[in-house]
PDB file of all heavy atoms in Angstrom:
ATOM      1  N   PRO R  16     -22.084   0.485  11.126  1.00 98.00           N
ATOM      2  CA  PRO R  16     -20.940   1.246  11.659  1.00 98.00           C
ATOM      3  C   PRO R  16     -19.864   0.320  12.213  1.00 98.00           C
ATOM      4  O   PRO R  16     -20.166  -0.769  12.717  1.00 98.00           O
ATOM      5  CB  PRO R  16     -21.567   2.093  12.787  1.00 98.00           C
ATOM      6  CG  PRO R  16     -22.826   1.385  13.153  1.00 98.00           C
ATOM      7  CD  PRO R  16     -23.313   0.687  11.914  1.00 98.00           C
ATOM      8  N   HIS R  17     -18.597   0.758  12.113  1.00 98.00           N
ATOM      9  CA  HIS R  17     -17.488  -0.091  12.575  1.00 98.00           C
ATOM     10  C   HIS R  17     -17.300  -0.079  14.093  1.00 98.00           C
ATOM     11  O   HIS R  17     -16.573  -0.908  14.644  1.00 98.00           O
ATOM     12  CB  HIS R  17     -16.176   0.293  11.873  1.00 98.00           C
ATOM     13  CG  HIS R  17     -15.815   1.738  11.966  1.00 98.00           C
ATOM     14  ND1 HIS R  17     -15.642   2.404  13.156  1.00 98.00           N
ATOM     15  CD2 HIS R  17     -15.578   2.671  10.985  1.00 98.00           C
ATOM     16  CE1 HIS R  17     -15.311   3.662  12.931  1.00 98.00           C
ATOM     17  NE2 HIS R  17     -15.265   3.865  11.616  1.00 98.00           N
ATOM     18  N   ASP R  18     -17.977   0.857  14.784  1.00 98.00           N
ATOM     19  CA  ASP R  18     -17.912   0.953  16.256  1.00 98.00           C
ATOM     20  C   ASP R  18     -16.487   1.083  16.782  1.00 98.00           C
ATOM     21  O   ASP R  18     -16.185   0.611  17.886  1.00 98.00           O
ATOM     22  CB  ASP R  18     -18.595  -0.248  16.927  1.00 98.00           C
ATOM     23  CG  ASP R  18     -20.097  -0.283  16.649  1.00 98.00           C
ATOM     24  OD1 ASP R  18     -20.676   0.815  16.481  1.00 98.00           O
ATOM     25  OD2 ASP R  18     -20.680  -1.380  16.579  1.00 98.00           O
ATOM     26  N   ALA R  19     -15.599   1.698  15.996  1.00 98.00           N
ATOM     27  CA  ALA R  19     -14.205   1.938  16.402  1.00 98.00           C
ATOM     28  C   ALA R  19     -13.494   0.647  16.817  1.00 98.00           C
ATOM     29  O   ALA R  19     -12.717   0.616  17.773  1.00 98.00           O
ATOM     30  CB  ALA R  19     -14.140   2.972  17.533  1.00 98.00           C
ATOM     31  N   ILE R  20     -13.775  -0.430  16.076  1.00 97.00           N
ATOM     32  CA  ILE R  20     -13.111  -1.719  16.328  1.00 97.00           C
ATOM     33  C   ILE R  20     -12.273  -2.082  15.099  1.00 97.00           C
ATOM     34  O   ILE R  20     -12.755  -2.011  13.966  1.00 97.00           O
ATOM     35  CB  ILE R  20     -14.140  -2.839  16.619  1.00 97.00           C
ATOM     36  CG1 ILE R  20     -14.887  -2.534  17.934  1.00 97.00           C
ATOM     37  CG2 ILE R  20     -13.478  -4.208  16.688  1.00 97.00           C
ATOM     38  CD1 ILE R  20     -16.079  -3.444  18.190  1.00 97.00           C
ATOM     39  N   ALA R  21     -11.007  -2.437  15.335  1.00 96.00           N
ATOM     40  CA  ALA R  21     -10.146  -2.920  14.247  1.00 96.00           C
ATOM     41  C   ALA R  21     -10.387  -4.423  14.114  1.00 96.00           C
ATOM     42  O   ALA R  21     -10.406  -5.142  15.110  1.00 96.00           O
ATOM     43  CB  ALA R  21      -8.685  -2.637  14.583  1.00 96.00           C
ATOM     44  N   ARG R  22     -10.571  -4.887  12.893  1.00 95.00           N
ATOM     45  CA  ARG R  22     -10.903  -6.296  12.681  1.00 95.00           C
ATOM     46  C   ARG R  22      -9.926  -6.935  11.697  1.00 95.00           C
ATOM     47  O   ARG R  22      -9.503  -6.289  10.740  1.00 95.00           O
ATOM     48  CB  ARG R  22     -12.333  -6.429  12.140  1.00 95.00           C
ATOM     49  CG  ARG R  22     -13.409  -5.951  13.117  1.00 95.00           C
ATOM     50  CD  ARG R  22     -14.774  -5.867  12.452  1.00 95.00           C
ATOM     51  NE  ARG R  22     -15.838  -5.599  13.405  1.00 95.00           N
ATOM     52  CZ  ARG R  22     -16.220  -4.376  13.796  1.00 95.00           C
ATOM     53  NH1 ARG R  22     -15.597  -3.317  13.290  1.00 95.00           N
ATOM     54  NH2 ARG R  22     -17.198  -4.210  14.663  1.00 95.00           N
ATOM     55  N   GLN R  23      -9.621  -8.213  11.940  1.00 92.00           N
ATOM     56  CA  GLN R  23      -8.700  -8.923  11.053  1.00 92.00           C
ATOM     57  C   GLN R  23      -9.174 -10.360  10.868  1.00 92.00           C
ATOM     58  O   GLN R  23      -9.431 -11.061  11.846  1.00 92.00           O
ATOM     59  CB  GLN R  23      -7.299  -8.902  11.662  1.00 92.00           C
ATOM     60  CG  GLN R  23      -6.231  -9.400  10.712  1.00 92.00           C
ATOM     61  CD  GLN R  23      -4.865  -8.854  11.098  1.00 92.00           C
ATOM     62  OE1 GLN R  23      -4.578  -7.676  10.931  1.00 92.00           O
ATOM     63  NE2 GLN R  23      -4.019  -9.682  11.633  1.00 92.00           N
ATOM     64  N   ALA R  24      -9.308 -10.762   9.620  1.00 92.00           N
ATOM     65  CA  ALA R  24      -9.768 -12.122   9.313  1.00 92.00           C
ATOM     66  C   ALA R  24      -8.687 -12.864   8.531  1.00 92.00           C
ATOM     67  O   ALA R  24      -8.098 -12.320   7.603  1.00 92.00           O
ATOM     68  CB  ALA R  24     -11.058 -12.057   8.485  1.00 92.00           C
ATOM     69  N   PHE R  25      -8.434 -14.102   8.935  1.00 87.00           N
ATOM     70  CA  PHE R  25      -7.529 -14.984   8.199  1.00 87.00           C
ATOM     71  C   PHE R  25      -8.393 -15.914   7.361  1.00 87.00           C
ATOM     72  O   PHE R  25      -9.324 -16.533   7.879  1.00 87.00           O
ATOM     73  CB  PHE R  25      -6.680 -15.804   9.170  1.00 87.00           C
ATOM     74  CG  PHE R  25      -5.686 -14.987   9.936  1.00 87.00           C
ATOM     75  CD1 PHE R  25      -6.042 -14.365  11.122  1.00 87.00           C
ATOM     76  CD2 PHE R  25      -4.394 -14.824   9.472  1.00 87.00           C
ATOM     77  CE1 PHE R  25      -5.126 -13.593  11.829  1.00 87.00           C
ATOM     78  CE2 PHE R  25      -3.472 -14.059  10.157  1.00 87.00           C
ATOM     79  CZ  PHE R  25      -3.834 -13.446  11.339  1.00 87.00           C
ATOM     80  N   HIS R  26      -8.090 -15.999   6.061  1.00 85.00           N
ATOM     81  CA  HIS R  26      -8.887 -16.882   5.204  1.00 85.00           C
ATOM     82  C   HIS R  26      -7.972 -17.564   4.200  1.00 85.00           C
ATOM     83  O   HIS R  26      -7.284 -16.888   3.434  1.00 85.00           O
ATOM     84  CB  HIS R  26      -9.988 -16.082   4.479  1.00 85.00           C
ATOM     85  CG  HIS R  26      -9.456 -15.047   3.543  1.00 85.00           C
ATOM     86  ND1 HIS R  26      -9.245 -15.290   2.209  1.00 85.00           N
ATOM     87  CD2 HIS R  26      -9.055 -13.776   3.761  1.00 85.00           C
ATOM     88  CE1 HIS R  26      -8.744 -14.201   1.639  1.00 85.00           C
ATOM     89  NE2 HIS R  26      -8.613 -13.264   2.558  1.00 85.00           N
ATOM     90  N   GLY R  27      -7.909 -18.869   4.227  1.00 79.00           N
ATOM     91  CA  GLY R  27      -7.075 -19.602   3.265  1.00 79.00           C
ATOM     92  C   GLY R  27      -5.670 -19.040   3.234  1.00 79.00           C
ATOM     93  O   GLY R  27      -4.943 -19.062   4.208  1.00 79.00           O
ATOM     94  N   GLU R  28      -5.293 -18.468   2.081  1.00 78.00           N
ATOM     95  CA  GLU R  28      -3.942 -17.901   1.928  1.00 78.00           C
ATOM     96  C   GLU R  28      -3.908 -16.391   2.156  1.00 78.00           C
ATOM     97  O   GLU R  28      -2.884 -15.759   1.934  1.00 78.00           O
ATOM     98  CB  GLU R  28      -3.411 -18.221   0.518  1.00 78.00           C
ATOM     99  CG  GLU R  28      -3.204 -19.693   0.242  1.00 78.00           C
ATOM    100  CD  GLU R  28      -2.127 -20.329   1.127  1.00 78.00           C
ATOM    101  OE1 GLU R  28      -1.208 -19.613   1.557  1.00 78.00           O
ATOM    102  OE2 GLU R  28      -2.235 -21.530   1.411  1.00 78.00           O
ATOM    103  N   GLY R  29      -5.020 -15.806   2.576  1.00 88.00           N
ATOM    104  CA  GLY R  29      -5.075 -14.348   2.688  1.00 88.00           C
ATOM    105  C   GLY R  29      -5.318 -13.862   4.109  1.00 88.00           C
ATOM    106  O   GLY R  29      -5.762 -14.608   4.982  1.00 88.00           O
ATOM    107  N   ILE R  30      -5.020 -12.574   4.322  1.00 90.00           N
ATOM    108  CA  ILE R  30      -5.267 -11.909   5.606  1.00 90.00           C
ATOM    109  C   ILE R  30      -5.920 -10.575   5.277  1.00 90.00           C
ATOM    110  O   ILE R  30      -5.386  -9.800   4.482  1.00 90.00           O
ATOM    111  CB  ILE R  30      -3.960 -11.652   6.390  1.00 90.00           C
ATOM    112  CG1 ILE R  30      -3.138 -12.930   6.534  1.00 90.00           C
ATOM    113  CG2 ILE R  30      -4.263 -11.046   7.765  1.00 90.00           C
ATOM    114  CD1 ILE R  30      -1.677 -12.666   6.930  1.00 90.00           C
ATOM    115  N   LEU R  31      -7.073 -10.306   5.879  1.00 95.00           N
ATOM    116  CA  LEU R  31      -7.821  -9.091   5.563  1.00 95.00           C
ATOM    117  C   LEU R  31      -8.029  -8.266   6.834  1.00 95.00           C
ATOM    118  O   LEU R  31      -8.622  -8.740   7.798  1.00 95.00           O
ATOM    119  CB  LEU R  31      -9.174  -9.476   4.946  1.00 95.00           C
ATOM    120  CG  LEU R  31     -10.179  -8.351   4.693  1.00 95.00           C
ATOM    121  CD1 LEU R  31      -9.608  -7.302   3.758  1.00 95.00           C
ATOM    122  CD2 LEU R  31     -11.472  -8.926   4.103  1.00 95.00           C
ATOM    123  N   ALA R  32      -7.514  -7.034   6.833  1.00 95.00           N
ATOM    124  CA  ALA R  32      -7.695  -6.143   7.982  1.00 95.00           C
ATOM    125  C   ALA R  32      -8.609  -4.985   7.597  1.00 95.00           C
ATOM    126  O   ALA R  32      -8.446  -4.391   6.528  1.00 95.00           O
ATOM    127  CB  ALA R  32      -6.344  -5.605   8.448  1.00 95.00           C
ATOM    128  N   PHE R  33      -9.582  -4.695   8.461  1.00 96.00           N
ATOM    129  CA  PHE R  33     -10.465  -3.540   8.327  1.00 96.00           C
ATOM    130  C   PHE R  33     -10.116  -2.569   9.449  1.00 96.00           C
ATOM    131  O   PHE R  33     -10.312  -2.888  10.636  1.00 96.00           O
ATOM    132  CB  PHE R  33     -11.937  -3.963   8.475  1.00 96.00           C
ATOM    133  CG  PHE R  33     -12.635  -4.262   7.179  1.00 96.00           C
ATOM    134  CD1 PHE R  33     -12.226  -5.319   6.378  1.00 96.00           C
ATOM    135  CD2 PHE R  33     -13.723  -3.508   6.754  1.00 96.00           C
ATOM    136  CE1 PHE R  33     -12.878  -5.616   5.186  1.00 96.00           C
ATOM    137  CE2 PHE R  33     -14.375  -3.791   5.558  1.00 96.00           C
ATOM    138  CZ  PHE R  33     -13.952  -4.846   4.763  1.00 96.00           C
ATOM    139  N   LEU R  34      -9.584  -1.410   9.102  1.00 96.00           N
ATOM    140  CA  LEU R  34      -9.140  -0.436  10.109  1.00 96.00           C
ATOM    141  C   LEU R  34     -10.112   0.738  10.133  1.00 96.00           C
ATOM    142  O   LEU R  34     -10.346   1.371   9.101  1.00 96.00           O
ATOM    143  CB  LEU R  34      -7.725   0.043   9.766  1.00 96.00           C
ATOM    144  CG  LEU R  34      -6.704  -1.086   9.563  1.00 96.00           C
ATOM    145  CD1 LEU R  34      -5.389  -0.544   9.039  1.00 96.00           C
ATOM    146  CD2 LEU R  34      -6.489  -1.871  10.850  1.00 96.00           C
ATOM    147  N   PRO R  35     -10.707   1.034  11.294  1.00 97.00           N
ATOM    148  CA  PRO R  35     -11.774   2.040  11.364  1.00 97.00           C
ATOM    149  C   PRO R  35     -11.257   3.471  11.183  1.00 97.00           C
ATOM    150  O   PRO R  35     -10.291   3.872  11.825  1.00 97.00           O
ATOM    151  CB  PRO R  35     -12.339   1.856  12.781  1.00 97.00           C
ATOM    152  CG  PRO R  35     -11.215   1.263  13.569  1.00 97.00           C
ATOM    153  CD  PRO R  35     -10.416   0.442  12.611  1.00 97.00           C
ATOM    154  N   LEU R  36     -11.911   4.232  10.301  1.00 97.00           N
ATOM    155  CA  LEU R  36     -11.556   5.644  10.085  1.00 97.00           C
ATOM    156  C   LEU R  36     -12.537   6.542  10.854  1.00 97.00           C
ATOM    157  O   LEU R  36     -13.461   6.046  11.495  1.00 97.00           O
ATOM    158  CB  LEU R  36     -11.577   5.959   8.586  1.00 97.00           C
ATOM    159  CG  LEU R  36     -10.543   5.173   7.747  1.00 97.00           C
ATOM    160  CD1 LEU R  36     -10.741   5.425   6.265  1.00 97.00           C
ATOM    161  CD2 LEU R  36      -9.111   5.506   8.159  1.00 97.00           C
ATOM    162  N   SER R  37     -12.344   7.872  10.775  1.00 95.00           N
ATOM    163  CA  SER R  37     -13.165   8.762  11.610  1.00 95.00           C
ATOM    164  C   SER R  37     -14.647   8.757  11.221  1.00 95.00           C
ATOM    165  O   SER R  37     -15.502   8.928  12.070  1.00 95.00           O
ATOM    166  CB  SER R  37     -12.599  10.178  11.625  1.00 95.00           C
ATOM    167  OG  SER R  37     -12.074  10.533  10.382  1.00 95.00           O
ATOM    168  N   ASP R  38     -14.955   8.544   9.940  1.00 96.00           N
ATOM    169  CA  ASP R  38     -16.350   8.347   9.535  1.00 96.00           C
ATOM    170  C   ASP R  38     -16.778   6.948  10.005  1.00 96.00           C
ATOM    171  O   ASP R  38     -16.120   5.959   9.685  1.00 96.00           O
ATOM    172  CB  ASP R  38     -16.441   8.450   8.005  1.00 96.00           C
ATOM    173  CG  ASP R  38     -17.853   8.233   7.462  1.00 96.00           C
ATOM    174  OD1 ASP R  38     -18.587   7.387   7.995  1.00 96.00           O
ATOM    175  OD2 ASP R  38     -18.214   8.912   6.481  1.00 96.00           O
ATOM    176  N   PRO R  39     -17.882   6.832  10.782  1.00 97.00           N
ATOM    177  CA  PRO R  39     -18.263   5.526  11.356  1.00 97.00           C
ATOM    178  C   PRO R  39     -18.559   4.433  10.323  1.00 97.00           C
ATOM    179  O   PRO R  39     -18.625   3.258  10.667  1.00 97.00           O
ATOM    180  CB  PRO R  39     -19.504   5.835  12.199  1.00 97.00           C
ATOM    181  CG  PRO R  39     -19.976   7.185  11.755  1.00 97.00           C
ATOM    182  CD  PRO R  39     -18.790   7.911  11.219  1.00 97.00           C
ATOM    183  N   HIS R  40     -18.715   4.836   9.062  1.00 98.00           N
ATOM    184  CA  HIS R  40     -19.002   3.837   8.020  1.00 98.00           C
ATOM    185  C   HIS R  40     -17.841   3.662   7.033  1.00 98.00           C
ATOM    186  O   HIS R  40     -17.993   3.015   6.000  1.00 98.00           O
ATOM    187  CB  HIS R  40     -20.280   4.201   7.257  1.00 98.00           C
ATOM    188  CG  HIS R  40     -21.519   4.062   8.092  1.00 98.00           C
ATOM    189  ND1 HIS R  40     -22.195   2.875   8.226  1.00 98.00           N
ATOM    190  CD2 HIS R  40     -22.162   4.963   8.882  1.00 98.00           C
ATOM    191  CE1 HIS R  40     -23.228   3.057   9.044  1.00 98.00           C
ATOM    192  NE2 HIS R  40     -23.223   4.309   9.462  1.00 98.00           N
ATOM    193  N   LEU R  41     -16.683   4.248   7.338  1.00 98.00           N
ATOM    194  CA  LEU R  41     -15.522   4.101   6.447  1.00 98.00           C
ATOM    195  C   LEU R  41     -14.411   3.314   7.138  1.00 98.00           C
ATOM    196  O   LEU R  41     -14.107   3.553   8.303  1.00 98.00           O
ATOM    197  CB  LEU R  41     -14.959   5.464   6.033  1.00 98.00           C
ATOM    198  CG  LEU R  41     -15.668   6.254   4.932  1.00 98.00           C
ATOM    199  CD1 LEU R  41     -14.859   7.485   4.569  1.00 98.00           C
ATOM    200  CD2 LEU R  41     -15.926   5.412   3.683  1.00 98.00           C
ATOM    201  N   CYS R  42     -13.825   2.381   6.385  1.00 97.00           N
ATOM    202  CA  CYS R  42     -12.669   1.630   6.882  1.00 97.00           C
ATOM    203  C   CYS R  42     -11.575   1.636   5.824  1.00 97.00           C
ATOM    204  O   CYS R  42     -11.856   1.663   4.626  1.00 97.00           O
ATOM    205  CB  CYS R  42     -13.039   0.169   7.170  1.00 97.00           C
ATOM    206  SG  CYS R  42     -14.028  -0.068   8.652  1.00 97.00           S
ATOM    207  N   SER R  43     -10.340   1.602   6.298  1.00 96.00           N
ATOM    208  CA  SER R  43      -9.213   1.419   5.395  1.00 96.00           C
ATOM    209  C   SER R  43      -8.903  -0.072   5.426  1.00 96.00           C
ATOM    210  O   SER R  43      -8.807  -0.661   6.502  1.00 96.00           O
ATOM    211  CB  SER R  43      -8.017   2.221   5.900  1.00 96.00           C
ATOM    212  OG  SER R  43      -6.913   2.016   5.053  1.00 96.00           O
ATOM    213  N   ILE R  44      -8.784  -0.704   4.267  1.00 96.00           N
ATOM    214  CA  ILE R  44      -8.460  -2.135   4.293  1.00 96.00           C
ATOM    215  C   ILE R  44      -7.022  -2.384   3.841  1.00 96.00           C
ATOM    216  O   ILE R  44      -6.472  -1.654   3.017  1.00 96.00           O
ATOM    217  CB  ILE R  44      -9.424  -2.996   3.422  1.00 96.00           C
ATOM    218  CG1 ILE R  44      -9.300  -2.660   1.920  1.00 96.00           C
ATOM    219  CG2 ILE R  44     -10.854  -2.887   3.904  1.00 96.00           C
ATOM    220  CD1 ILE R  44      -9.794  -3.773   1.005  1.00 96.00           C
ATOM    221  N   VAL R  45      -6.426  -3.410   4.456  1.00 95.00           N
ATOM    222  CA  VAL R  45      -5.136  -3.941   4.006  1.00 95.00           C
ATOM    223  C   VAL R  45      -5.396  -5.430   3.802  1.00 95.00           C
ATOM    224  O   VAL R  45      -5.641  -6.171   4.751  1.00 95.00           O
ATOM    225  CB  VAL R  45      -4.021  -3.730   5.055  1.00 95.00           C
ATOM    226  CG1 VAL R  45      -2.694  -4.249   4.502  1.00 95.00           C
ATOM    227  CG2 VAL R  45      -3.897  -2.260   5.430  1.00 95.00           C
ATOM    228  N   TRP R  46      -5.371  -5.850   2.530  1.00 96.00           N
ATOM    229  CA  TRP R  46      -5.696  -7.234   2.196  1.00 96.00           C
ATOM    230  C   TRP R  46      -4.433  -7.897   1.643  1.00 96.00           C
ATOM    231  O   TRP R  46      -3.987  -7.571   0.548  1.00 96.00           O
ATOM    232  CB  TRP R  46      -6.815  -7.233   1.159  1.00 96.00           C
ATOM    233  CG  TRP R  46      -7.547  -8.543   1.030  1.00 96.00           C
ATOM    234  CD1 TRP R  46      -7.281  -9.710   1.666  1.00 96.00           C
ATOM    235  CD2 TRP R  46      -8.695  -8.797   0.182  1.00 96.00           C
ATOM    236  NE1 TRP R  46      -8.189 -10.676   1.292  1.00 96.00           N
ATOM    237  CE2 TRP R  46      -9.060 -10.146   0.389  1.00 96.00           C
ATOM    238  CE3 TRP R  46      -9.426  -8.014  -0.711  1.00 96.00           C
ATOM    239  CZ2 TRP R  46     -10.137 -10.727  -0.279  1.00 96.00           C
ATOM    240  CZ3 TRP R  46     -10.502  -8.591  -1.374  1.00 96.00           C
ATOM    241  CH2 TRP R  46     -10.855  -9.935  -1.158  1.00 96.00           C
ATOM    242  N   SER R  47      -3.850  -8.795   2.435  1.00 93.00           N
ATOM    243  CA  SER R  47      -2.634  -9.498   2.007  1.00 93.00           C
ATOM    244  C   SER R  47      -3.037 -10.751   1.247  1.00 93.00           C
ATOM    245  O   SER R  47      -3.693 -11.634   1.806  1.00 93.00           O
ATOM    246  CB  SER R  47      -1.786  -9.887   3.226  1.00 93.00           C
ATOM    247  OG  SER R  47      -1.465  -8.748   3.969  1.00 93.00           O
ATOM    248  N   LEU R  48      -2.616 -10.810  -0.003  1.00 95.00           N
ATOM    249  CA  LEU R  48      -3.003 -11.915  -0.889  1.00 95.00           C
ATOM    250  C   LEU R  48      -1.790 -12.384  -1.680  1.00 95.00           C
ATOM    251  O   LEU R  48      -0.772 -11.681  -1.739  1.00 95.00           O
ATOM    252  CB  LEU R  48      -4.069 -11.431  -1.883  1.00 95.00           C
ATOM    253  CG  LEU R  48      -5.437 -11.021  -1.311  1.00 95.00           C
ATOM    254  CD1 LEU R  48      -6.160 -10.115  -2.300  1.00 95.00           C
ATOM    255  CD2 LEU R  48      -6.273 -12.247  -0.988  1.00 95.00           C
TER     256      LEU R  48
END
């Protein structure tokens, strides 16, 4: 479960955000590449 935490990882040339949705196991991602 995402525990209602928004997460963002920087990796090399990319940025990956996991945004928690109302289902505890679903996230919306925005992956900048």
Side-chain angles (χ1 to χ4, degrees):
H17 53 58
D18 295 330
I20 295 170
R22 296 170 172 87
Q23 190 157 288
F25 292 87
H26 63 93
E28 295 296 332
I30 307 163
L31 173 59
F33 266 64
L34 307 172
L36 297 173
S37 37
D38 179 323
H40 291 274
L41 281 187
C42 286
S43 178
I44 65 158
V45 182
W46 198 356
S47 303
L48 294 159

